[in-house]
Amino acid sequence: SSVTTMIQYMLLFSRQGKLRLQKWYNPIGMKEKRRTTRELITMILSRKPKMCSFLEYRDQKIVYKRYASLFFCVAIDNNDNELLTLEIVHRYVELLDKYFGSVCELDIIFNFEKAYFVLDELLIAGEVQETSKKSVLKAIAAQDMLQDETESKTGLDEMADKKKLGLSGGLP
């Protein structure tokens, strides 16, 4: 038996049922994704806070946890470990917290690409690729630096182009 947990998909949604982030690790049709998402959000939001965070759904186990106003919902195979999955979710939340400095729903909404990047550094193909928070945060910092350099270079290129065209807006 394997110790790795294969995550089928992860959904992040608000207490109001708004989907904030979704990552699917298996090819599933759009219609099926919408149906699954709708059913799980409805099912989880209708549960009482003290109820178990594990439930059976079709041929999968669903593991979910609420952090502040967001629910983190993960589907795993029936033979996978629920507690290990909760740890993976918790690690993701810790990484988001470290990156955003106490993550909130607005961080996910306005910086969703960063939230996906953090997730992609943690998981590949639904399996944990990196357990070290330090390594993940280092990779994210390097990516941010690269993005900043690219954006500032693009900005300088645009300024140079405007100057060539006489669109600088200043006096000649």
Side-chain angles (χ1 to χ4, degrees), residues 64-82:
Y64 71 92
K65 179 113 174 89
R66 181 177 157 196
Y67 288 90
S69 66
L70 284 175
F71 284 89
F72 291 72
C73 168
V74 176
I76 56 174
D77 292 329
N78 276 319
N79 56 349
D80 282 337
N81 185 323
E82 302 95 330

Side-chain angles (χ1 to χ4, degrees), residues 153-168:
K153 183 180 175 345
T154 304
L156 289 173
D157 289 346
E158 286 172 4
M159 283 173 44
D161 290 345
K162 284 181 182 177
K163 202 167 196 170
K164 283 178 200 168
L165 296 172
L167 301 173
S168 61

Side-chain angles (χ1 to χ4, degrees), residues 20-111:
R20 297 300 183 201
L21 187 136
Q22 59 180 323
K23 185 76 176 187
W24 301 81
Y25 294 103
N26 292 324
I28 298 172
M30 205 57 177
K31 196 173 182 181
E32 185 60 28
K33 284 180 186 178
R34 279 197 296 271
R35 188 174 133 225
T36 299
T37 302
R38 187 178 57 249
E39 287 176 2
L40 284 174
I41 289 174
T42 303
M43 203 182 304
I44 290 168
L45 289 178
S46 69
R47 294 171 65 84
K48 304 271 183 275
K50 297 279 185 216
M51 291 175 98
C52 179
S53 292
F54 313 137
L55 48 109
E56 290 179 12
Y57 177 74
R58 300 188 192 160
D59 59 341
Q60 300 166 331
K61 274 192 260 188
I62 303 298
V63 177
Y64 71 92
K65 179 113 174 89
R66 181 177 157 196
Y67 288 90
S69 66
L70 284 175
F71 284 89
F72 291 72
C73 168
V74 176
I76 56 174
D77 292 329
N78 276 319
N79 56 349
D80 282 337
N81 185 323
E82 302 95 330
L83 295 175
L84 185 60
T85 305
L86 270 179
E87 279 299 314
I88 293 168
V89 168
H90 188 69
R91 176 55 49 100
Y92 182 47
V93 172
E94 286 177 325
L95 287 165
L96 290 172
D97 254 351
K98 277 256 193 282
Y99 181 75
F100 289 111
S102 187
V103 69
C104 68
E105 189 176 345
L106 288 176
D107 291 322
I108 304 292
I109 292 169
F110 293 115
N111 301 292

Side-chain angles (χ1 to χ4, degrees), residues 94-95 98-99 132-142:
E94 286 177 325
L95 287 165
K98 277 256 193 282
Y99 181 75
S132 162
K133 277 190 273 188
K134 200 175 195 174
S135 293
V136 170
L137 291 168
K138 238 187 210 170
I140 295 163

